[in-house]
Amino acid sequence: MRRTRLALQGWLLSVRDMLTSAGPVLLLAAGLLVGAYVWLDPQPPRSVTLATGPAGSAYAEFGQRYAQALKQDGIRVELLHTDGPAASLQALRDGDADVAFVRGGSSQAGDADAANNNDADAGIMSLGALFYEPLWVFYRPGAVNVASAKGGSAKAPAQAPVKAPAPDVRLTSLTQLQGLRINLDQPGSGVPELMQRLLQANGLGPDTFTASNLPPDAATEALLAGQIDALVLMTAPESPAVQRLLRQSGVALADLPQADALARRFPFLQTVTLPRGMVDLARDLPPDDIGLLTTTTALLTHEDTHPALRQLFAQTAQKLHGGAGWFNGVRDFPNTRTSELPVSPEGDRAINGTPPFWQRHLPFWASNLLERMWLVIGGLIVLLLPLSRVVPPLYTYRVRQRVFRWYARLRAVEARLDEGETNASELLDELDELDRVASQITVPLAHADELYALRNNIEGARRRLLARRDQAPAFVS
């Protein structure tokens, strides 16, 4: 038992000596690490605001998916419903949102405002384009025929003769909207401004049709009730209103053969094709390929948003938008090819680069901490390597000092012995006390020889004292 106790005591003393010797180096490293942590701020806020657009829209649906995905990493996503992409972009500019879904062309309200918009968007970056957002023009074919029979003008004379109804014809040009009651989506969605530019390019002014600005759900009901003749939406195909209207009998989707020409005039627009049977193969909906105009919706963020959050959103976008869709193949999105704004480094790395292995195997907080702090950790290692060389000498000094400190007392006893002024009994008592103390000193086995050397020197002094006392009768006793 005593042997075990002594072994444990020796081990604890060795650990204490090692910690004490390495203490200054460890404190320096800890101080530098804490300072770097505070300066770099590697851990992001635990909540983030995402501007999604109107409630019930495709944006809102995607916002829910992002919230569920980021919840697994301990990030709470607050969804901010706005009137549309333009309002979401403004919320990003004002600092009311950290991330936002914004449709291409939303920052181009008009050519006259281009310079002001560029200034306002100076701190805004893209995390990549996420998906196509086509321009859907739904209409009632019978209403188009009636308008055509009246001469295609909303101001046609009431007494004009009306010909017998012709078979329903397809709306293949925006000029056929002349004379119709059209819903241009609600203000803030960006659709009224876009349609105004497209209709002006087709020679239609605001007095050639009757416009309304109902939200998508109300506009859908109005179209089905015959209260309007056509409605315009610009949203992803996942939108509930689009899904309903594509399957609704008595409602048709406009095919625009001039889509390529319009895309040339407006660079933020592109052309896509809705393939035949894409909506419903069993019902063969649509019965033909339909050409559509489209923009790409991007995930925008502000430069003040924490880099770790930008990285997490970009990685989540890869998971949510990387599959095939109605208008794209696998891995066509997210991409950086169609970004109107500068792409953030986090978005570019997530889309075009290869994630480090630690991001694939570590939880978000650990991989983020490693990515943000690896340079500091590497610098500390380089700094501590030369400093660590002083630790072994310090350790050796502390252990040896535990033994060598008693040599001063032994030397004092020997000096008094040489002077011959102290009686032998007193010197023997001091040597016995010194030997008792030395026998209780615990040192690592590597330094045991120094302890035994001390005890041998004490014993040597005792023998000298006894020999001198025996040889010199005059020695004070």
Side-chain angles (χ1 to χ4, degrees):
M1 179 66 68
R2 185 173 182 275
R3 183 180 302 175
T4 303
R5 182 175 61 82
L6 290 176
L8 178 61
Q9 182 181 4
W11 180 82
L12 292 176
L13 284 174
S14 298
V15 172
R16 187 194 68 180
D17 290 334
M18 180 61 68
L19 291 178
T20 304
S21 302
V25 177
L26 294 177
L27 287 177
L28 176 62
L32 292 176
L33 194 62
V34 170
Y37 184 92
V38 173
W39 179 58
L40 293 175
D41 189 22
Q43 294 301 330
R46 309 309 296 177
S47 65
V48 60
T49 302
L50 172 62
T52 63
S57 64
Y59 289 155
E61 173 63 24
F62 282 123
Q64 292 290 345
R65 298 182 189 180
Y66 275 85
Q68 289 296 326
L70 270 67
K71 184 178 181 180
Q72 301 176 2
D73 293 308
I75 304 298
R76 181 169 57 90
V77 179
E78 298 179 0
L79 302 180
L80 175 64
H81 297 301
T82 64
D83 293 334
S88 297
L89 178 59
Q90 189 60 45
L92 199 60
R93 291 168 175 165
D94 296 339
D96 297 330
D98 303 298
V99 190
F101 296 121
V102 179
R103 179 189 305 134
S106 297
S107 62
Q108 303 177 13
D111 295 337
D113 297 331
N116 294 333
N117 288 328
N118 289 336
D119 293 339
D121 297 340
I124 296 178
M125 301 179 293
S126 172
L127 295 175
L130 304 180
F131 50 82
Y132 286 124
E133 198 168 6
L135 182 69
W136 309 90
V137 182
F138 293 100
Y139 64 96
R140 293 186 298 111
V144 174
N145 288 338
V146 171
S148 300
K150 290 182 178 181
S153 174
K155 294 189 176 182
Q159 67 273 17
V162 179
K163 299 180 181 179
D168 291 345
V169 296
R170 297 172 65 179
L171 194 156
T172 58
S173 174
L174 294 180
T175 57
Q176 293 176 266
L177 296 175
Q178 187 175 6
L180 299 185
R181 298 167 297 174
I182 313 170
N183 186 80
L184 300 180
D185 209 343
Q186 55 192 351
S189 65
V191 177
E193 294 80 7
L194 174 61
M195 283 303 298
Q196 180 182 1
R197 301 172 69 180
L198 294 178
L199 292 173
Q200 285 179 352
N202 282 269
L204 298 182
D207 58 344
T208 59
F209 57 90
T210 303
S212 59
N213 298 104
L214 299 174
D217 291 339
T220 300
E221 298 298 335
L223 180 66
L224 298 179
Q227 299 172 357
I228 57 175
D229 303 316
L231 64 84
V232 181
L233 296 172
M234 200 162 199
T235 183
E238 289 83 358
S239 169
V242 171
Q243 290 290 325
R244 180 182 180 186
L245 291 172
L246 286 173
R247 292 172 169 81
Q248 183 68 47
S249 60
V251 175
L253 175 62
D255 185 8
L256 301 177
Q258 295 178 329
D260 286 326
L262 290 170
R264 296 293 192 275
R265 287 175 174 263
F266 303 99
F268 58 89
L269 293 176
Q270 302 174 56
T271 58
V272 292
T273 299
L274 180 62
R276 175 178 175 175
M278 189 71 222
V279 178
D280 193 329
L281 285 173
R283 298 170 57 189
D284 194 25
L285 295 178
D288 300 292
D289 290 349
I290 297 178
L292 301 174
L293 284 169
T294 185
T295 63
T296 54
T297 292
L299 188 63
L300 301 187
T301 185
H302 200 276
E303 61 182 5
D304 293 335
T305 303
H306 197 283
L309 289 178
R310 299 201 299 260
Q311 173 182 311
L312 187 57
F313 267 93
Q315 293 172 346
T316 304
Q318 287 283 95
K319 300 176 183 177
L320 297 182
H321 305 286
W326 282 16
F327 306 104
N328 62 276
V330 177
R331 301 190 183 279
D332 286 348
F333 289 103
N335 66 62
T336 58
R337 300 185 304 272
T338 57
S339 296
E340 301 176 58
L341 295 171
V343 179
S344 74
E346 294 78 12
D348 182 68
R349 185 164 57 249
I351 294 172
N352 301 319
T354 301
F357 74 94
W358 58 77
Q359 290 185 4
R360 300 191 296 267
H361 302 289
L362 294 178
F364 167 70
W365 68 268
S367 64
N368 172 70
L369 182 63
L370 181 60
E371 182 169 357
R372 306 292 168 194
M373 297 289 291
W374 72 268
L375 188 60
V376 174
I377 295 175
L380 282 177
I381 293 175
V382 172
L383 176 65
L384 292 179
L385 281 177
L387 290 179
S388 62
R389 296 179 180 177
V390 304
V391 174
L394 284 176
Y395 173 77
T396 302
Y397 172 78
R398 285 190 56 83
V399 173
R400 298 181 70 182
Q401 183 65 18
R402 197 180 301 154
V403 176
F404 291 167
R405 56 185 288 193
W406 300 107
Y407 275 102
R409 186 171 175 182
L410 178 61
R411 181 180 298 175
V413 171
E414 290 179 334
R416 291 161 59 191
L417 173 63
D418 292 338
E419 293 173 358
E421 297 179 358
T422 307
N423 61 53
S425 297
E426 183 177 345
L427 292 179
L428 286 174
D429 291 341
E430 289 193 25
L431 289 175
D432 291 342
E433 174 64 18
L434 188 58
D435 187 57
R436 184 186 65 80
V437 171
S439 64
Q440 295 178 354
I441 297 175
T442 303
V443 295
L445 292 178
H447 298 273
D449 58 336
E450 297 168 353
L451 176 61
Y452 285 111
L454 172 63
R455 299 188 66 181
N456 286 335
N457 290 329
I458 296 174
E459 181 62 25
R462 180 184 292 109
R463 290 175 181 175
R464 286 176 55 203
L465 174 61
L466 294 176
R468 181 169 297 186
R469 185 186 61 177
D470 295 339
Q471 294 176 1
F475 192 83
V476 181
S477 58

